[in-house]
Amino acid sequence: MIRDRLAVVMGESPGLGSGGCRRWRRPASTSAFCVTTDPDAASNGQGDRLEPGTHRATLRPEARPTGRDNESMRGDERSGLGEYLHHHRSQMAPRDRPGASPLSHRRVPGLRRQELADIAGISVEYYTRLEQGRAARPSREILTALARAFRLSNAERDHLFRLAGERPPPSRAPATEIRPGLQQLLDGLNDVMPVTIHDGRLDMLAFNTAAADLFGPLFDDGHYGRNIAYQAFTATGLDKVLGNAGAEQLARVATAELRKALSHYSEDEYLRSLFRELSTGNPEFDRHWQKGEIGTWSSAMKHVNHPTKGPLTFDSEMLHDPENDHWVMLFTPHHT
């Protein structure tokens, strides 16, 4: 039953806000995260979007270029794309070119256009027109080749696609290894507070000594044994650890997080099989899924019934490493 205390990783679920929104409880000093639910849109796999200047996530498809914009770009779009390409080309050292000599000297920094075009597998004439803002909208295949040639990070690649008027390609999977800086944070807070790290597929990646001492053995070695959403609907004794209301809230949050993960990693077979597993013979999961809720929970007050320490209360905060899609959970003892 100690293992079932993994539920505190997801914490307490949102209350109902006004205007048809689901508001996640936050401390008074922070703003609420409002999730607008649309079962039809959600069930079609459409992702959530943050409206600029708000904390509101809405379920609606991304805007796509229409009409002539599919074939050409405006002058400012071409200029922005060209400047971006030129900047990254100037940052590439000649040694980044296969077979290049490290002793090569250049009067200007970076690779020549011909060299970059060769790496990307496109013609130098077409690349030159792109960089000079004289080419039509590049295809997604060309953009992918350029991102690979420039060795762009995910964030840089996504920006390249947006500059060209294209939706960024879907993410394939979160990183499997946490950054050294996060590991250092994890270890450094051993004597301060419990800390856990899970990825965008809701798989637990790591937790520090304080978290292991508080929560006990959180997960098992099964195929989905480290997945928070799976454990939320299959672990026994959650009502004893969290109470009936807490267990209900956990299931609600886990479902909303799983829907977002499925939207973000739409081609991920692990998540698809997890969904099929939970959808088969689990009426509680079906009940929550039909609500159509989607969103990311960030802050909450968490209550844990510890077998030896008794009732405990924590203020939790979740931080995001967007490049790797890792989520850091910090648990601070609550003081009234």
Side-chain angles (χ1 to χ4, degrees):
M1 189 177 73
I2 295 177
R3 173 175 63 84
D4 300 330
R5 288 197 298 277
L6 66 95
V8 298
V9 175
M10 295 301 292
E12 299 200 0
S13 175
L16 290 176
S18 60
C21 296
R22 309 291 184 183
R23 294 191 177 273
W24 307 100
R25 294 191 181 95
R26 288 176 177 263
S29 60
T30 60
S31 59
F33 185 95
C34 178
V35 179
T36 300
T37 61
D38 182 345
D40 293 333
S43 62
N44 289 334
Q46 297 166 356
D48 61 319
R49 302 178 60 202
L50 290 178
E51 296 177 355
T54 74
H55 294 286
R56 182 183 303 275
T58 59
L59 298 172
R60 61 172 181 250
E62 296 272 359
R64 293 179 178 270
T66 58
R68 293 186 59 187
D69 285 344
N70 279 324
E71 305 298 331
S72 62
M73 295 184 293
R74 299 190 304 269
D76 56 341
E77 291 177 330
R78 293 178 180 176
S79 176
L81 176 62
E83 291 173 359
Y84 193 66
L85 295 175
H86 179 269
H87 168 75
H88 280 283
R89 182 170 63 84
S90 69
Q91 300 301 308
M92 295 184 70
R95 62 176 176 272
D96 292 331
R97 176 173 57 87
S101 169
L103 300 179
S104 177
H105 295 283
R106 305 290 179 96
R107 289 184 296 177
V108 295
L111 294 183
R112 298 186 177 97
R113 289 182 179 132
Q114 180 67 65
E115 293 168 338
L116 192 284
D118 289 344
I119 297 174
I122 62 178
S123 72
V124 65
E125 292 81 7
Y126 180 66
Y127 176 79
T128 299
R129 293 199 302 274
L130 280 175
E131 197 170 281
Q132 294 177 345
R134 297 186 293 109
R137 184 187 302 277
S139 68
R140 298 181 66 84
E141 291 74 18
I142 292 293
L143 294 172
T144 299
L146 289 171
R148 184 170 54 247
F150 286 124
R151 302 175 185 175
L152 300 182
S153 67
N154 289 342
E156 292 169 334
R157 177 207 61 193
D158 291 353
H159 186 59
L160 172 67
F161 272 70
R162 292 189 181 99
L163 283 173
E166 291 284 346
R167 291 181 62 184
S171 301
R172 294 186 176 180
T176 57
E177 301 290 335
I178 64 175
R179 292 190 292 107
L182 286 185
Q183 184 64 57
Q184 184 177 2
L185 172 68
L186 201 70
D187 299 336
L189 293 176
N190 271 333
D191 299 325
V192 180
M193 67 177 67
V195 182
T196 66
I197 301 177
H198 66 271
D199 65 18
R201 299 195 304 184
L202 305 180
D203 277 346
M204 181 62 65
L205 299 178
F207 45 87
N208 65 359
T209 303
D213 177 67
L214 178 64
F215 306 138
L218 298 177
F219 302 94
D220 59 44
D221 296 327
H223 186 55
Y224 305 114
R226 301 181 67 84
N227 188 272
I228 297 169
Y230 180 79
Q231 295 290 359
F233 287 98
T234 61
T236 59
L238 290 180
D239 55 338
K240 296 180 180 178
V241 177
L242 300 175
N244 292 331
E248 171 73 10
Q249 290 166 343
L250 166 65
R252 190 174 173 185
V253 173
T255 306
E257 292 271 11
L258 178 59
R259 189 188 295 276
K260 182 174 183 180
L262 284 163
S263 174
H264 190 65
Y265 299 109
S266 58
E267 300 178 2
D268 189 287
E269 183 53 35
Y270 171 83
L271 285 173
R272 289 181 175 184
S273 63
L274 171 61
F275 174 75
R276 289 193 295 267
E277 178 78 14
L278 290 174
S279 300
T280 304
N282 195 316
E284 278 300 296
F285 176 76
D286 290 338
R287 180 171 66 86
H288 284 282
W289 187 262
Q290 292 303 319
K291 296 177 182 178
E293 294 175 325
I294 184 171
T296 298
W297 160 85
S298 296
S299 302
M301 180 182 295
K302 304 177 185 296
H303 304 281
V304 185
N305 295 319
H306 194 277
T308 60
K309 299 179 181 179
L312 300 174
T313 304
F314 291 88
D315 292 314
S316 68
E317 186 69 25
M318 185 157 61
L319 309 177
H320 190 213
D321 173 9
E323 182 66 22
N324 296 313
D325 198 14
H326 290 168
W327 298 84
V328 183
M329 297 288 295
L330 306 172
F331 300 88
T332 304
H334 178 75
H335 300 288
T336 57

